[in-house]
Amino acid sequence: MTQPRATHRPTTVDPLLAAVHGGIRLIELGQPFFTGMPCSPNHPGFRMTLARRHGDLVRPDGGSAANEIIVTGGHVGTHIDALSHVSQHGTLHGGVDAQEAQRGGKFTTHGAEHLPGLLCRGVLLDIAAAHETATLPGGYEITVADLETAARQARIEVAAGDVALIRTGWSRLFDQPDAYLGKQTGVPGVGVAAAQWLAARGVVATGSDTTAYECIPPGAGHSVLPVHRILLVESGIYIIEHLALEELAASGLHEFTFLLAPLRIVGGTGSPIRPLAAVSR
């Protein structure tokens, strides 16, 4: 009896897998989470403590385990805003009634469980470098001209589907909570016209190394946030806050693969994240 001849099919290697095998360097874009970290007064702060310590319970074989309890708001530390986070005149993005959507202690529409995982092109717009300074002054409003200058210096064009990261240098103050939160000075950030410029280019998300992304003038607090309205409500563009962009800026990279995986918090308005920039070694 003749045996059928074995068929040898060529192995198809996924290009992304091939790139990973070639060596990938990951650059941290998020801040560490710790008790006492800077936090907007509008949100409950991050707290962590050990709920059980080694030795509290010892198994018959001598083993022991420790674990912790974590309490935090959804907009503390490096995080991404869901589209349920901000409303304007009672409506969320897409004209969704905010009151109806938030019944029952959670959002039934635009909740954080619908935040996308992102694997896309990231671009760094280094506004501080464009001004030849390590840190922009408190309360400085980033303009369209600033974005265009940073893009031109980086030799990139912001395009649809990108994640645009805005560096102000402000994360250099992260270990000084009062200075970082700009209680006296205000905080630099994107202005209305600059937000409209980003929205017109179709970015999927944009983030910065500050507490509120947009410009906070001295003494203004977070009383009015027009950029959040433009991005979240009008444009459906996600906002990332409290980024750590110093290592990325020091690397000289302005174009990279951006990775992000939010927690699927059902009905939430945001999620803590650990974003990464992936580049070839």
Side-chain angles (χ1 to χ4, degrees):
M1 181 177 180
T2 304
Q3 297 293 325
R5 180 177 298 177
T7 301
H8 298 284
R9 296 180 178 177
T11 301
T12 301
V13 178
D14 180 81
L16 182 58
L17 182 59
V20 171
H21 283 168
I24 294 293
R25 174 190 173 199
L26 297 178
I27 300 176
E28 294 277 359
L29 301 178
Q31 298 284 5
F33 288 80
F34 57 90
T35 300
M37 65 190 293
C39 172
S40 165
N42 295 331
H43 303 287
F46 180 90
R47 298 291 183 272
M48 190 214 83
T49 190
L50 293 179
R52 186 169 68 177
R53 301 166 299 173
H54 289 291
D56 288 347
L57 176 64
V58 180
R59 300 185 180 94
D61 65 354
S64 182
N67 55 46
E68 64 280 300
I69 182 169
I70 296 172
V71 179
T72 185
H75 299 266
V76 178
T78 308
H79 68 275
I80 185 170
D81 293 347
L83 298 182
S84 57
H85 181 44
V86 170
S87 66
Q88 185 70 19
H89 301 307
T91 60
L92 304 173
H93 176 65
V96 174
D97 186 290
Q99 291 292 336
E100 290 297 323
Q102 68 187 2
R103 294 185 185 277
K106 63 181 180 180
F107 279 88
T108 57
T109 304
H110 294 325
E113 74 273 26
H114 299 300
L115 286 164
L118 295 176
L119 177 62
C120 58
R121 186 176 84 135
V123 294
L124 175 66
L125 298 174
D126 195 336
I127 310 303
H131 283 269
E132 299 182 343
T133 184
T135 306
L136 292 177
Y140 178 80
E141 180 178 325
I142 294 171
T143 66
V144 170
D146 289 329
L147 297 179
E148 291 177 340
T149 297
R152 183 173 62 254
Q153 290 179 349
R155 298 182 180 179
I156 57 173
E157 292 186 5
V158 180
D162 285 350
V163 172
L165 305 185
I166 312 298
R167 178 179 174 265
T168 69
W170 209 248
S171 66
R172 295 161 59 89
L173 305 175
F174 194 74
D175 61 351
Q176 305 170 51
D178 286 347
Y180 178 76
L181 295 175
K183 294 181 179 180
Q184 304 298 325
T185 64
V187 181
V190 170
V192 166
Q196 293 169 334
W197 186 91
L198 289 167
R201 278 147 185 79
V203 299
V204 67
T206 180
S208 186
D209 51 0
T210 66
T211 181
Y213 180 80
E214 59 187 279
C215 174
I216 306 297
H222 294 180
S223 57
V224 180
L225 298 174
V227 168
H228 278 63
R229 167 182 53 81
I230 291 167
L231 296 176
L232 292 173
V233 181
E234 297 178 3
S235 307
I237 295 170
Y238 304 103
I239 299 174
I240 305 169
E241 293 162 330
H242 294 290
L243 285 165
L245 300 178
E246 294 307 293
E247 182 180 357
L248 180 63
S251 74
L253 294 167
H254 293 89
E255 183 181 29
F256 48 89
T257 300
F258 180 83
L259 296 87
L260 178 147
L263 301 178
R264 300 182 68 189
I265 303 173
V266 175
T269 65
S271 169
I273 55 172
R274 185 184 181 184
L276 299 165
V279 297
S280 301
R281 290 189 182 277

